[in-house]
Amino acid sequence: MTNGYELLVEPTPTECAETAAGLIIEALAGSSTPVLGVATGLTPLPTYAELTARSFDVSHLQLVLLDEYIGLPADSEASFRAAVRRLLAEPLGLPPERVHAPPHEGAPTPETCAQFEAHLGALGGIDLQLLGIGRNGHIGFNEPGSALDSRTRVVELTAETIEDNAAPFAAARFVPRRACTQGIATILGARQLLLLATGRHKAEILRTALLGPVTPDVPASAIRLHPRAVVIADRAAAHLLRTGDDDVRARGR
Ligand code: GLP
């Protein structure tokens, strides 16, 4: 089945974050083993701020990262683990043991990647996976060409992605060239997906991902294979979608 997603268009990133936080809290409340899959990048920041400002039960909450760089020092503040600890885990009062990441130390192997997948299963699976969308359509670090049945693995980052992720580093040349990412099939294994896209610079790729073919060339298009995928976009990111046609169901304000 394709096009099985719901699109919510909000006026600004602030309203996107409010709506996203509400959906996340609802999804976690329905689980006896609440596991939130988290994304990095700039897009989810207002959602994390909103989540940390709300009151909800975090007593059993576990956080799982989509991806992590390989080769950063363990105490690097530029790692995705550090970002998630800073932005979400610490403000919510979660200890570091409740933040889980794909293998990233030394050289992850197919065995350690498979162990991570088994660990996800042992946690009870991901209730809701939050996703951003890269300029080239990547989700996690699944770059264009990633197989739709891919699982957690080591990937080489594209020059464009390295450039886009350079902000926490002194310069693009310090961004690691390799990362370990959940695969597309791993992401599709979450019980619910929530893709966030804000800003005009995401409009073109969002249109391609939602209205073009489902293809490994545009990894984000794979969310349409999921039975419970929600896309929240602000008006700027959604302006190229003809909301109201058969492919897109919009609930604007
Ligand atoms: C990185 C992350 C992705 C994220 C993307 C978009 O590549 N690995 O998970 O979706 O950046 O980032 P931004 O939200 O800053 O556009």
Side-chain angles (χ1 to χ4, degrees):
M1 186 185 87
T2 58
N3 294 328
Y5 62 93
E6 184 181 7
L7 172 69
L8 306 177
V9 180
E10 301 286 5
T12 70
T14 304
E15 282 94 348
C16 289
E18 287 166 7
T19 302
L23 286 178
I24 291 168
I25 291 170
E26 195 181 305
L28 298 175
S31 175
S32 55
T33 54
V35 180
L36 174 61
V38 288
T40 49
L42 298 178
T43 311
L45 296 183
T47 298
Y48 294 155
E50 183 66 26
L51 275 177
T52 58
R54 292 204 189 182
S55 128
F56 65 105
D57 182 13
V58 297
S59 52
H60 296 101
L61 179 60
Q62 308 276 348
L63 303 177
V64 177
L65 274 80
L66 269 177
D67 46 14
E68 182 56 288
Y69 292 117
I70 295 172
L72 287 179
D75 60 354
S76 169
E77 277 302 301
S79 75
F80 289 162
R81 285 170 345 278
V84 167
R85 274 203 300 269
R86 211 166 44 235
L87 297 165
L88 209 49
E90 283 167 9
L92 290 176
L94 304 183
E97 312 83 76
R98 290 218 240 143
V99 179
H100 310 265
H104 49 270
E105 278 157 18
T109 61
E111 288 71 30
T112 56
C113 291
Q115 279 163 15
F116 170 74
E117 298 250 350
H119 183 58
L120 289 185
L123 289 173
I126 294 178
D127 290 296
L128 184 145
Q129 177 64 59
L130 194 58
L131 298 166
I133 179 169
R135 220 165 15 126
N136 59 8
H138 71 243
I139 47 174
F141 271 141
N142 291 284
E143 299 280 29
S146 297
L148 299 182
D149 63 356
S150 54
R151 315 272 346 172
T152 302
R153 68 203 186 286
V154 173
V155 291
E156 304 283 331
L157 304 178
T158 63
E160 186 178 58
T161 297
I162 287 170
E163 193 66 38
D164 285 351
N165 281 278
F169 296 89
R173 68 178 187 281
F174 298 116
V175 181
R177 268 40 190 166
R178 295 194 317 151
C180 190
T181 184
Q182 289 187 35
I184 293 178
T186 320
I187 291 170
L188 293 179
R191 282 186 271 283
Q192 202 176 330
L193 300 181
L194 173 50
L195 185 139
L196 281 174
T198 54
R200 279 185 91 80
H201 63 302
K202 294 293 173 75
E204 191 73 50
I205 191 62
L206 189 64
R207 174 171 65 180
T208 306
L210 297 184
L211 301 181
V214 173
T215 163
D217 295 339
V218 185
S221 66
I223 70 158
R224 289 154 53 198
L225 300 171
H226 195 286
R228 289 189 72 193
V230 177
V231 177
I232 300 181
D234 68 352
R235 284 198 188 121
H239 84 277
L240 296 177
L241 304 171
R242 289 161 297 137
T243 53
D245 71 12
D246 285 346
D247 288 331
V248 179
R249 292 174 297 287
R251 192 185 74 184
R253 280 192 182 180

